[in-house]
Amino acid sequence: MAKFNTGSATIDRFLQIKKADEGFYQYVGEDTFISLVKSAHPSDLKRLSAAVEELKEEGHNMLAYRIRRKDGKYRWILAELEYEPIEFGGEPLISINIQDIQALEREMSAIKNINSEYGEYFGLLDELMFMYNIEEDQFRVFFGGNNQTVNLTNSSLEDWIQDMTENEYISPEYMETFLNFCNDLKNGTRSFKYELLSKAFSVNQEMEMHLVKGKTIRDSSRERKVIGCISFISQDSKKKEINYNVESNKDAGTDVLNKKAITDYAKKAIAARPEYSIHLCIIDLDNFKNINDTFGHMFGDEVLAATAEILKAAVAGRGVVGRIGGDEMLIVLEKVENHSELRSILRTIRSNIEWAYKGKKEGLNLTCSIGVASYPVHAKRYEDLFMIADKMLYRAKKKGKNRYIIYTPEIHGDAMSDEEIGNPNKIEGKINKESLIIRLTDFFLHKQVMPYETALSEVGQTFELDDIDVFYGDMERVIMDWMAKPDDRVKSISYVYEDDFQKLFNENGIAVVDSVVNIEGIYKEAYEYMSMRNITAALIYKMQNERNPGYIAYYKESSSARKWSETDKAYLNFVGKIIELSLDDR
């Protein structure tokens, strides 16, 4: 089914979506990526839940049910469910692949036409092709096109190697190169290229120089196959190969364009002054040095290669991926219709990198930060666009990493100035936060006068919050609060006593809800309260005084709220301790 996949997601047994690919988001819409409950037809929800429960016995299941597309219409889809090899909160996660049944016939027809077209191309080529199925040990050398594929070799790899050596098809001085080529076939090397002097591929059975290129892929059934081509090298074509072969522009470790090639590509694309938008996206792996130091550089290289594959899959035919240094990649997106599609690509990249090694290697937390600038709306020169995207990358790092930031002048200010990008009307930045903490310490612990209302107001503005509620003794009555936009709705924090909610609090007394949609179906009372108040993220401080229990709730209501940064968690934890000490003393 994966061959015709419309979209894929990873869910838990409560049908909460932990991650999904771009195809899934494009199908159901961005507003329903939180839970399958919101997209399934009400009449089919019980069958879907039952199919999930049946996985405990079978480990694999399929069902057809109706799902609401982003246009609001229900369509029948075929869903394939199976357990993933990772757990979340002690529970195994489930992968769900969906296929629009009505689209299946169109896809198969389109694939048939594409295969026919490619077959005609292959029929025009003078090159030989080869394919080695590693699991089945089947090696083929063939040529041809539609309806006429001629196998020159169809045997096990060892039989072919024996035939080549016994019949002296390889020139003796190239035997070591030939054996290296064979080892690459056996081992499934990512990509390779060799020049061989051989008569095995010559029409007249004379020794001729050939270029052998190959790479390892996985087909729809996850079998590894090595595919490649063999071409004759004349003196003229050899010169062309050295100067213009695409491989010379590739980064050896990741099989994407190297820095020079991707930079040249971007400059030429922008210099052509196209009528469509071009987006420069700089991607940097968070804390990659720690990965190298902890797991070794060989594993670090594996992570880079896996990241490159994620980027290429997300970009598909809409742009080009290159490596510009270390753990930093550059994407040039050209065929993106709107900002919704752009955000969908970026979210797919961020999510898939975050989940690439989750649960597979202890102590590894792989995430990325992304900065984005667009031609022509932000700048019309490559150098200017790169500078803006780089500043957005820096901002993403500073905001807590594991996020993407698209440059928005109204929010980020003048990107062309030498000053740090930011909105001058907002109080933000490390220095301001540190200064606030020092002032609060002086006022509360050194008995200087400062109204609680002033303190909460400054905390709220500095940390870009929408609401702060302080409960002390009575969990149904707020003793002090601050709101960016005041209203008269009743406040409560009784949901902290909901079953298992206390498990969210860490050893420092902090419970973090990065996105309220993640607790739907798990902590019903907390979800209903926060949803009713349009809260999208929450950080709750638990006071340590058992005689006078208390909580401080920091809330965000912004639709663009991101994960709480580690720095903000530490600062707000400290603010909570200061207020707690002040209340206990009072």
Side-chain angles (χ1 to χ4, degrees):
M1 177 175 163
K3 183 176 181 181
F4 304 104
N5 198 25
T6 297
S8 302
T10 297
I11 63 174
D12 61 19
R13 67 186 182 91
F14 301 106
L15 305 181
Q16 300 296 307
I17 298 174
K18 300 303 179 182
K19 69 167 185 173
D21 63 13
E22 184 187 353
F24 187 89
Y25 290 135
Q26 288 289 334
Y27 193 77
V28 303
E30 294 186 15
D31 59 336
T32 56
F33 71 87
I34 53 178
S35 172
L36 287 185
V37 175
K38 292 184 176 297
S39 61
H41 192 284
S43 301
D44 299 333
L45 192 55
K46 287 186 178 180
R47 291 195 301 110
L48 177 59
S49 298
V52 171
E53 289 299 319
E54 290 171 5
L55 281 177
K56 295 178 181 178
E57 299 179 2
E58 304 294 333
H60 180 274
N61 208 350
M62 296 187 72
L63 82 155
Y65 76 96
R66 285 161 292 183
I67 193 170
R68 188 178 68 244
R69 292 182 42 163
K70 63 181 180 180
D71 59 8
K73 298 179 180 178
Y74 284 99
R75 293 279 286 270
W76 282 98
I77 57 104
L78 185 64
E80 180 181 28
L81 303 167
E82 61 182 350
Y83 280 124
E84 291 195 350
I86 58 176
E87 293 185 350
F88 184 82
E91 295 280 350
L93 294 179
I94 302 163
S95 68
I96 176 169
N97 299 309
I98 65 171
Q99 170 59 47
D100 186 309
I101 295 176
Q102 295 183 22
L104 182 60
E105 183 177 349
R106 294 197 301 270
E107 286 193 43
M108 294 183 67
S109 176
I111 290 173
K112 182 178 179 180
N113 291 335
I114 291 172
N115 287 341
S116 176
E117 183 177 321
Y118 283 161
E120 297 296 341
Y121 280 121
F122 288 144
L124 297 173
L125 296 176
D126 292 330
E127 296 180 340
L128 298 175
M129 288 160 277
F130 65 85
M131 186 277 293
Y132 178 53
N133 187 316
I134 297 176
E135 279 74 14
E136 297 181 4
D137 187 26
Q138 180 189 30
F139 181 73
R140 294 174 57 214
V141 179
F142 57 95
F143 67 86
N146 282 342
N147 304 320
Q148 190 175 3
T149 299
V150 179
N151 287 318
L152 301 181
T153 299
N154 191 357
S155 66
S156 70
L157 183 60
E158 290 299 331
D159 287 345
W160 180 70
I161 294 173
Q162 183 177 351
D163 180 56
M164 296 288 282
T165 53
E166 288 182 354
N167 291 288
E168 299 180 345
Y169 286 140
I170 304 297
S171 177
E173 63 267 32
Y174 282 85
M175 183 55 67
E176 182 178 354
T177 302
F178 172 71
L179 294 177
N180 289 335
F181 162 54
C182 295
N183 284 330
D184 283 341
L185 290 173
K186 294 177 183 177
N187 298 328
T189 301
R190 181 178 296 274
S191 62
F192 54 82
K193 180 174 66 174
Y194 294 105
E195 291 182 2
L196 283 175
L197 187 60
S198 167
K199 60 182 179 182
F201 314 116
S202 301
V203 176
N204 54 14
Q205 291 292 297
E206 294 182 359
M207 288 289 180
E208 293 178 336
M209 189 65 74
H210 294 86
L211 176 69
V212 180
K213 296 189 294 185
K215 67 184 300 183
T216 300
I217 63 170
R218 287 188 182 272
D219 63 15
S220 59
S221 61
R222 304 305 294 166
E223 286 188 340
R224 288 193 304 161
K225 293 181 179 180
V226 186
I227 61 172
C229 60
I230 305 167
S231 55
F232 168 68
I233 304 178
S234 66
Q235 290 302 313
D236 290 338
S237 65
K238 183 176 177 66
K239 188 181 299 183
K240 180 179 180 180
E241 176 72 26
I242 293 173
N243 292 335
Y244 301 107
N245 178 36
V246 174
E247 295 296 323
S248 65
N249 292 327
K250 293 286 185 68
D251 176 71
T254 59
D255 199 35
V256 298
L257 293 182
N258 59 30
K259 182 177 181 179
K260 181 180 183 304
I262 188 67
T263 302
D264 288 347
Y265 182 92
K267 287 181 177 180
K268 290 177 181 177
I270 294 168
R273 296 291 184 263
E275 295 182 357
Y276 52 82
S277 296
I278 297 176
H279 309 283
L280 289 192
C281 312
I282 305 177
I283 298 95
D284 185 84
L285 295 180
D286 300 324
N287 305 316
F288 184 70
K289 183 179 184 299
N290 292 341
I291 294 176
N292 275 334
D293 292 344
T294 305
F295 302 102
H297 287 272
M298 288 187 64
F299 181 74
D301 291 342
E302 177 188 322
V303 169
L304 289 174
T307 298
E309 291 300 320
I310 289 172
L311 299 185
K312 288 191 290 185
V315 171
R318 294 167 293 193
V320 180
V321 182
R323 182 181 178 188
I324 56 178
D327 59 320
E328 212 167 60
M329 309 276 188
L330 176 66
I331 297 177
V332 183
L333 286 173
E334 296 180 84
K335 299 178 181 179
V336 177
E337 294 183 1
N338 49 52
H339 268 262
S340 176
E341 185 179 355
L342 173 61
R343 287 192 297 271
S344 180
I345 294 170
L346 297 174
R347 184 175 58 246
T348 299
I349 291 171
R350 188 195 65 78
S351 177
N352 287 347
I353 288 178
E354 182 178 11
W355 284 82
Y357 290 93
K358 193 175 286 293
K360 300 177 183 178
K361 203 170 186 68
E362 186 176 355
L364 176 60
N365 182 30
L366 181 66
T367 59
C368 72
S369 299
I370 310 173
V372 184
S374 305
Y375 163 91
V377 62
H378 298 150
K380 296 183 179 180
R381 295 175 62 248
Y382 166 80
E383 291 78 10
D384 295 335
L385 283 170
F386 188 91
M387 180 192 70
I388 297 172
D390 193 49
K391 285 186 175 182
M392 293 301 101
L393 173 64
Y394 172 77
R395 184 178 179 88
K397 293 281 190 182
K398 187 176 179 181
K399 286 289 185 181
K401 305 176 183 179
N402 192 23
R403 67 195 65 213
Y404 60 84
I405 294 183
I406 303 170
Y407 174 56
T408 306
E410 295 78 11
I411 298 174
H412 305 126
D414 183 6
M416 303 307 293
S417 70
D418 293 331
E419 299 295 325
E420 178 185 351
I421 290 181
N423 187 333
N425 297 318
K426 290 186 178 181
I427 304 172
E428 63 180 20
K430 183 176 180 181
I431 296 177
N432 287 327
K433 290 174 182 178
E434 288 180 348
S435 300
L436 176 62
I437 297 298
I438 293 171
R439 291 179 60 234
L440 290 176
T441 304
D442 286 338
F443 282 123
F444 285 141
L445 301 187
H446 297 168
K447 311 302 181 186
Q448 299 185 36
V449 178
M450 181 182 192
Y452 281 108
E453 293 79 4
T454 302
L456 295 183
S457 176
E458 292 198 12
V459 171
Q461 292 181 65
T462 301
F463 290 90
E464 299 180 17
L465 305 175
D466 293 284
D467 189 2
I468 305 175
D469 299 335
V470 181
F471 298 85
Y472 191 70
D474 184 355
M475 298 303 103
E476 296 291 345
R477 186 176 69 87
V478 60
I479 66 167
M480 66 183 78
D481 67 345
W482 170 87
M483 298 187 71
K485 297 178 181 179
D487 63 45
D488 56 359
R489 288 178 292 184
V490 176
K491 295 186 175 184
S492 170
I493 200 163
S494 61
Y495 61 77
V496 297
Y497 296 115
E498 186 177 5
D499 291 345
D500 293 334
F501 192 89
Q502 288 289 322
K503 293 180 181 179
L504 286 181
F505 290 96
N506 62 20
E507 64 276 7
N508 294 318
I510 289 289
V512 177
V513 178
D514 280 318
S515 177
V516 70
V517 298
N518 292 337
I519 64 174
E520 182 184 11
I522 304 175
Y523 307 112
K524 182 179 179 181
E525 185 179 343
Y527 174 77
E528 289 179 351
Y529 177 80
M530 293 183 192
S531 297
M532 179 267 293
R533 300 191 64 87
N534 298 320
I535 295 165
T536 59
L539 189 150
I540 304 161
Y541 172 79
K542 180 181 181 180
M543 298 182 190
Q544 304 302 309
N545 188 332
E546 295 181 2
R547 184 171 56 87
N548 290 310
Y551 293 87
I552 302 174
Y554 307 101
Y555 294 130
K556 294 181 182 180
E557 298 179 8
S558 171
S559 61
S560 61
R562 295 293 184 264
K563 293 178 65 175
W564 298 91
S565 71
E566 294 301 322
T567 302
D568 283 0
K569 290 179 190 177
Y571 281 145
L572 292 175
N573 183 27
F574 194 72
V575 170
K577 291 186 183 299
I578 293 174
I579 295 176
E580 177 184 4
L581 289 172
S582 175
L583 289 172
D584 288 345
D585 189 54
R586 186 182 68 172

